């Protein structure tokens, strides 16, 4: 008798894609687990506040090999933005003030800003940028992880700031 193998899936509802998904899931029979993008461990949904997997229409099947690649490349799940004080400063060609990032994990999302002291801390900048209600939101331009690393090297003189 052969041992049952996990089936793997990515959640890829816009703006996320199969290549840059928002989460990684696996199923063994009726048991669902997700890769936490907070602690980088697999969690059974029934043992967490998540409780259920996403709807099947937003899940895309991936091979075990692809799932292994995704699990090894943490950056694929993280979105980065250059943060400008406002859109006018960006249009005038002023430099960004810092970098913000978002990890959207099944158990919640973590929005962080790179602070002057060289550490990541919580931020509302991403929420404020996408929410039409704030009167003076920051202006964000999406960048790659490599661009974020280079920008933080330029702005703060640090290397490895985007390591997860």
């Amino acid at each position: 008798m052969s041992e049952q193998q996990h089936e793997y899936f990515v959640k890829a509802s816009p703006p996320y894609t199969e290549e840059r998904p928002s989460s990684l899931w696996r199923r063994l029979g009726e048991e669902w687990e997700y890769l936490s993008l907070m602690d980088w461990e697999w969690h059974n949904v029934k043992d967490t506040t998540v409780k259920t997997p996403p709807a099947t229409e937003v899940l895309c099947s991936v091979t075990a090999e692809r799932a292994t690649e995704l699990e090894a490349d943490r950056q694929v799940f993280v979105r980065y933005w250059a943060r400008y004080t406002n859109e006018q400063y960006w249009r005038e060609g002023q430099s960004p003030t810092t970098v913000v990032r978002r990890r959207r994990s099944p158990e919640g999302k973590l929005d962080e800003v790179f602070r002057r002291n060289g550490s990541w801390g919580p931020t509302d900048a991403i929420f404020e940028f996408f929410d039409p209600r704030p009167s003076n939101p920051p202006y964000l331009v999406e960048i790659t992880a490599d661009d974020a690393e280079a920008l933080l090297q330029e702005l703060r003189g640090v290397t490895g700031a985007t390591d997860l």
Side-chain angles (χ1 to χ4, degrees):
M1 180 187 233
S2 67
E3 185 176 316
Q4 192 175 13
Q5 299 292 315
H6 281 102
E7 297 174 86
Y8 291 90
F9 304 87
V10 292
K11 184 176 178 190
S13 54
Y16 298 93
T17 64
E18 285 185 57
E19 294 75 33
R20 292 196 49 87
S22 64
S23 56
L24 179 61
W25 294 80
R26 68 184 181 189
R27 177 175 65 188
L28 185 60
E30 296 300 314
E31 295 289 318
W32 281 91
E33 296 178 314
Y34 63 86
L35 180 65
S36 171
L37 306 181
M38 305 299 171
D39 67 10
W40 306 104
E41 299 289 331
W42 287 98
H43 296 275
N44 190 310
V45 295
K46 69 181 181 183
D47 299 333
T48 68
T49 58
V50 177
K51 300 296 182 206
T52 60
T56 56
E57 58 267 12
V58 297
L59 289 177
C60 301
S61 180
V62 295
T63 65
E65 292 78 18
R66 179 63 178 144
T68 300
E69 290 171 7
L70 289 168
E71 189 174 358
D73 180 12
R74 295 177 176 183
Q75 293 296 348
V76 76
F77 296 105
V78 182
R79 294 178 69 190
Y80 290 91
W81 291 268
R83 184 190 190 282
Y84 295 83
T85 303
N86 58 44
E87 186 175 359
Q88 179 181 341
Y89 286 7
W90 171 74
R91 290 191 184 282
E92 292 172 354
Q94 291 191 24
S95 295
T97 58
T98 191
V99 171
V100 296
R101 70 181 179 191
R102 170 174 279 174
R103 284 187 274 169
R104 180 178 291 254
S105 191
E107 67 266 41
K109 67 183 168 199
L110 180 61
D111 291 347
E112 297 174 300
V113 61
F114 196 79
R115 301 182 294 198
R116 292 184 192 275
N117 69 2
S119 66
W120 291 95
T123 186
D124 291 329
I126 300 168
F127 173 79
E128 290 170 355
F129 176 70
F130 287 107
D131 186 344
R133 295 176 289 182
S135 60
N136 190 24
Y139 190 72
L140 305 180
V141 175
E142 191 160 5
I143 57 177
T144 66
D146 289 341
D147 290 341
E149 183 69 26
L151 183 55
L152 290 172
Q153 171 66 37
E154 178 185 324
L155 293 174
R156 303 284 189 263
V158 297
T159 303
T162 59
D163 292 346
L164 296 166

